[in-house]
Amino acid sequence: MQAPAGQQPADSAGRRAIWLSIAALAMTFMLPLAGLVMAAFALMAGIRALPRLKEAGRPTGTAIGGIAVSAVALVLSALATALQLYLMDEYSAYQECMKGAGTVSAQGECFTAFRDAAQRKLPSDVLDVLGAVQP
């Protein structure tokens, strides 16, 4: 049976949801704000795919997997974006310092200054979670 004009078959809706969610998770680690937007689209695609799959009598695992992965990507990218916005002044100072750092030791000093500024601004329990992550 062929889908009506303008509609995708139910199977492709589930696959689209899972692929968008995987792309959103990958984008979260590269560009958190873009990952946030893509995760929202993936979540919508997964939610829209569920009724189509149920209506067609197909398994809903791909749509549910897409919803789960996009929800994780949404939370991670929201947290990373919020952290970037919160530390925006410190990160800008770090970037300016790195522009003038001509040696490896000068770059190390830039990172040390950034780390110290972030430690002053963030609560200690957040720093324990972040560990020794370098920008």
Side-chain angles (χ1 to χ4, degrees):
M1 184 168 127
Q2 193 147 12
Q7 283 189 346
Q8 297 291 327
D11 290 339
S12 66
R15 284 193 303 271
R16 180 176 38 251
I18 196 74
W19 282 113
L20 278 173
S21 66
I22 291 169
L25 191 59
M27 278 299 248
T28 295
F29 295 109
M30 293 184 285
L31 298 167
L33 188 57
L36 185 69
V37 173
M38 187 163 290
F41 282 125
L43 189 61
M44 288 189 298
I47 291 170
R48 289 183 63 190
L50 271 177
R52 285 185 181 174
L53 289 168
K54 286 180 182 178
E55 184 179 290
R58 303 284 189 186
T60 58
T62 55
I64 292 172
I67 291 170
V69 173
S70 62
V72 169
L74 191 66
V75 169
L76 288 176
S77 59
L79 289 173
T81 301
L83 187 63
Q84 282 182 342
L85 291 174
Y86 186 66
L87 294 175
M88 186 171 19
D89 294 334
E90 288 78 9
Y91 192 66
S92 294
Y94 171 74
Q95 287 178 327
E96 286 298 317
C97 181
M98 288 297 282
K99 285 180 185 176
T103 64
V104 173
S105 63
Q107 291 174 353
E109 290 172 10
C110 291
F111 176 72
T112 302
F114 172 76
R115 186 187 62 215
D116 293 343
Q119 284 177 342
R120 283 191 299 274
K121 194 165 186 179
L122 291 173
S124 63
D125 55 342
V126 174
L127 292 173
D128 292 339
V129 171
L130 293 176
V133 176
Q134 292 188 9

